[in-house]
Amino acid sequence: MNAQLNYTQDIAKATNKLFEKLSGQYKKEQWETLAPYIYEINKLKKEKNAVILAHNYMTPDVFFGVGDVVGDSLGLAQVAAKSDADIIIQCGVHFMAETSKILCPNKKVIIPDINAGCSLASSITAEGLRAMKAKYPGIPVITYVNTSANVKAESDVCCTSSNALKIVNALGKQGHDKVIMTPDKFLAQNVAAETDVDIIYWDGACEVHERFTAEEVRNIRTSNNDVIVLAHPECPPEVMAEADFAGSTAQMDDYIKEHKPKKAVLMTECSMSDNVAAANPDIEMIKTSQMCPHMKLITLPKILKALQTENPEVIIDQEISARAKIPIERMLELS
Ligand code: 13P
Ligand code: SF4
């Protein structure tokens, strides 16, 4: 459908400034293949009153080129909840698009590749969670947003990596000395290290973050004097113990903006580091190589096609959606 996209004078004029910003990421020839998509997508999204929500793990062409709102899972959900766009194009993975649809059931929510999944989301089913609840009756369930709508529908409250500790402590204050956390065992263990509330957890992990090791952090420090190490809480506890700061993708971004370290490394998905490097040219970002294959399914040609065809649309059973909305809204209230 989009075979004939040429790099014209108008497109060069409209995208040159952005290319300057991203010149550390893309060569000129490569940019000339990307810029026509950026131009077309930005034109069409205005015509259709569509908003593009782009997660921090999107590649820089998507993140800076077409994202109207960029951020972490929590930030994108908060924006989706308030958006007055007719169409939401979710540049991220499927659970994020489902969260937007649950919060905005009357809007068209489109994900450019319906197969963009998540190893955490696929580690747990509603049936599995029901069995866990039967084993621990009366214990409230805190479910990470990285799950399907079916699993959220079985949960009491959701959390993201930016507010997990806050949510656990909020339940603690309500008199719960024990909670169930699903599905990320490392997020649960990392929160458990900072709270008095007892945490029973599901045995899931992120296929990207579980690969980071404490030894890797030590090696990075040895070869990079004064590097500041930031880690995502989906990393194993031994990695967190070696880090200078831990937080969600948006919290890491805020830390960098606020502290402006000379040199930093993000123990998280690799595109985020490229985006931080482009936004902060004075900071030397040390590269790591862990890539999320699901996030990388979202590309400019697929975004353009999704806008043109208004497909693939995210559809959720109404009864499940209504039940899943309750724990998400509880989380948004507590955040
Ligand atoms: P954030 O909520 O920090 O953006 O994380 C989402 C995610 O999928 C991390 O792997
Ligand atoms: Fe899921 Fe991990 Fe990819 Fe995030 S980085 S979407 S948790 S697989």
Side-chain angles (χ1 to χ4, degrees), residues 142-323:
I142 304 175
T143 287
Y144 197 28
V145 283
N146 296 42
T147 44
S148 67
N150 289 328
V151 169
K152 289 186 178 80
E154 293 292 334
S155 309
D156 296 295
V157 56
C158 284
C159 74
T160 71
S161 51
S162 66
N163 59 22
L165 179 63
K166 203 172 181 180
I167 305 276
V168 169
N169 284 337
L171 292 198
K173 278 201 190 112
Q174 290 169 12
H176 298 283
D177 54 7
K178 209 175 257 183
V179 298
I180 294 172
M181 271 186 92
T182 71
D184 187 350
K185 65 177 172 192
F186 291 140
L187 178 67
Q189 289 166 5
N190 291 328
V191 170
E194 296 190 46
T195 182
D196 292 333
V197 178
D198 252 5
I199 299 179
I200 304 162
Y201 55 82
W202 187 265
D203 190 22
C206 161
E207 66 187 87
V208 178
H209 292 87
E210 71 177 348
R211 292 195 291 248
F212 289 114
T213 64
E215 194 190 356
E216 187 178 354
V217 179
R218 288 193 289 270
N219 290 341
I220 291 170
R221 284 199 196 277
T222 307
S223 22
N224 297 280
N225 273 345
D226 301 328
V227 66
I228 298 296
V229 179
L230 297 93
H232 193 278
E234 289 172 10
C235 290
E238 57 272 23
V239 173
M240 303 286 278
E242 297 284 339
D244 299 300
F245 176 80
S248 76
T249 56
Q251 288 168 335
M252 289 191 277
D253 193 43
D254 289 346
Y255 180 99
I256 295 272
K257 281 188 198 126
E258 201 181 310
H259 292 83
K260 299 195 186 320
K262 280 201 172 67
K263 209 183 275 186
V265 63
L266 306 179
M267 308 313 283
T268 196
E269 211 271 344
C270 55
S271 289
M272 163 130 185
S273 184
D274 293 338
N275 294 332
V276 171
N280 303 275
D282 296 339
I283 299 175
E284 185 188 345
M285 296 302 297
I286 308 301
K287 281 187 180 281
T288 60
S289 53
Q290 301 303 347
M291 189 189 84
C292 175
H294 313 288
M295 291 279 181
K296 295 291 116 47
L297 289 175
I298 308 301
T299 61
L300 290 172
K302 287 185 199 168
I303 297 168
L304 179 56
K305 190 165 176 219
L307 255 173
Q308 288 168 329
T309 60
E310 300 185 12
N311 249 309
E313 193 180 345
V314 175
I315 307 283
I316 308 173
D317 174 88
Q318 276 188 9
E319 189 256 340
I320 294 289
S321 181
R323 283 171 51 208

